[in-house]
Amino acid sequence: RLFQSHFFSESPKESSFKEGGYYRPLVMLLYTFEYSLWRESPLGYHLRSLLLHLLNVFLVYLFLEVLFHSEGISLLGSLLYAASPLHVEAVSYLPSSGDLLATFFALGTFHLFVSKRALWRSVSPFCFLLGLLCKESIVIFPLVLSVYVFSRPKDVQRRGPLLAHWALLFGYLAVRFLLFPFPKETLWEEETPLFLRVLSIGSVLLGYLRLLLFPYPLHLESSVSFQSALWTTGATFVGVL
């Protein structure tokens, strides 16, 4: 039933996926397993979140090592990642465990993908799939892998696995939209037109960059004024030109 229920259902036995638009069965599976261990004691859940965060810090170190080939940059970057106030929500707020898991599988996907061993590269798409089953935002990761591959024209051995990630992504999206469509109550059917939300992406990215440099104020959910977002995106575009 966990693989047939949406993420915010109160009971998998009484809810179907069509009642909500978030499909994160691995997170629900983790919660089910943890509840059998810890019940209503928060200590075990927080220890798990801390452990996942530490694992992600280590994977960030390896990620930077691959990109910059510098232990100093990798150590500094991973320490900044470990101590960043932006991670308070994901680490301390237990319902955000999907962020930690998705990050873990995303970074794991990258390390498997860049491995010199063909066997590990072949496992990379499966790791990517696990990430997709934790949080939908990981759909952008094939784009990250594409940038890595095409920034290295001589690295032709990874183009096959890269296509496998794209094929898996399109298969996932097809299943989500055809078999498990988003209901009308979700954000996909908001009054705000889709093209306006797309145009506001620039403002959202600038907002995240500002929080990265000046992490204040922090909030669980951030709202976006589409009017100001459009002005910000337009000004950014003109500035780049």
Side-chain angles (χ1 to χ4, degrees):
R1 295 290 300 183
L2 290 177
F3 286 84
Q4 299 176 5
S5 304
H6 69 90
F7 183 64
F8 292 105
S9 60
E10 295 184 1
S11 173
K13 296 181 179 180
E14 301 175 358
S15 175
S16 66
F17 176 80
K18 293 182 179 180
E19 297 175 8
Y22 297 95
Y23 186 59
R24 303 169 186 175
L26 287 191
V27 183
M28 297 173 68
L29 186 63
L30 173 65
Y31 288 155
T32 302
F33 173 73
E34 288 184 318
Y35 185 77
S36 67
L37 296 176
W38 315 116
R39 295 297 174 179
E40 298 181 3
S41 173
L43 178 61
Y45 303 97
H46 285 296
L47 287 176
R48 179 264 300 155
S49 292
L50 181 60
L51 176 60
L52 273 176
H53 181 58
L54 292 176
L55 287 174
N56 288 338
V57 170
F58 177 68
L59 290 176
V60 166
Y61 174 86
L62 296 179
F63 176 78
L64 295 175
E65 180 71 21
V66 170
L67 295 183
F68 299 104
H69 306 285
S70 170
E71 291 185 359
I73 293 177
S74 302
L75 180 60
L76 177 61
S78 59
L79 289 177
L80 290 174
Y81 179 88
S84 174
L86 293 178
H87 299 304
V88 169
E89 174 191 337
V91 178
S92 62
Y93 183 58
L94 295 179
S96 292
S97 300
D99 295 280
L100 294 173
L101 285 172
T103 302
F104 175 77
F105 286 119
L107 292 171
T109 296
F110 179 81
H111 290 299
L112 291 171
F113 183 79
V114 301
S115 174
K116 296 181 179 179
R117 297 186 177 184
L119 177 61
W120 291 124
R121 292 198 299 271
S122 65
V123 178
S124 179
F126 176 71
C127 191
F128 173 55
L129 176 61
L130 294 179
L132 288 173
L133 298 179
C134 292
K135 194 167 185 180
E136 295 81 0
S137 56
I138 200 178
V139 295
I140 67 168
F141 210 70
L143 182 60
V144 176
L145 298 181
S146 298
V147 172
Y148 176 83
V149 169
F150 290 105
S151 65
R152 294 163 171 76
K154 297 182 180 180
D155 193 3
V156 296
Q157 62 181 350
R158 291 183 175 82
R159 295 184 180 180
L162 176 62
L163 291 177
H165 286 81
W166 280 106
L168 180 60
L169 173 60
F170 286 122
Y172 166 82
L173 293 176
V175 171
R176 286 297 308 270
F177 283 99
L178 296 178
L179 298 183
F180 304 128
F182 288 90
K184 293 183 178 181
E185 304 86 62
T186 63
L187 297 177
W188 293 92
E189 298 291 340
E190 280 187 334
E191 295 181 359
T192 305
L194 177 61
F195 77 93
L196 288 180
R197 283 179 275 157
V198 172
L199 290 177
S200 69
I201 290 177
S203 177
V204 173
L205 292 178
L206 287 176
Y208 278 118
L209 179 60
R210 180 188 64 79
L211 288 174
L212 182 64
L213 299 175
F214 306 100
Y216 179 85
L218 296 176
H219 195 274
L220 180 61
E221 295 182 356
S222 300
S223 60
V224 177
S225 170
F226 285 97
Q227 184 176 2
S228 62
L230 293 178
W231 279 107
T232 304
T233 301
T236 302
F237 180 74
V238 172
V240 171
L241 292 180

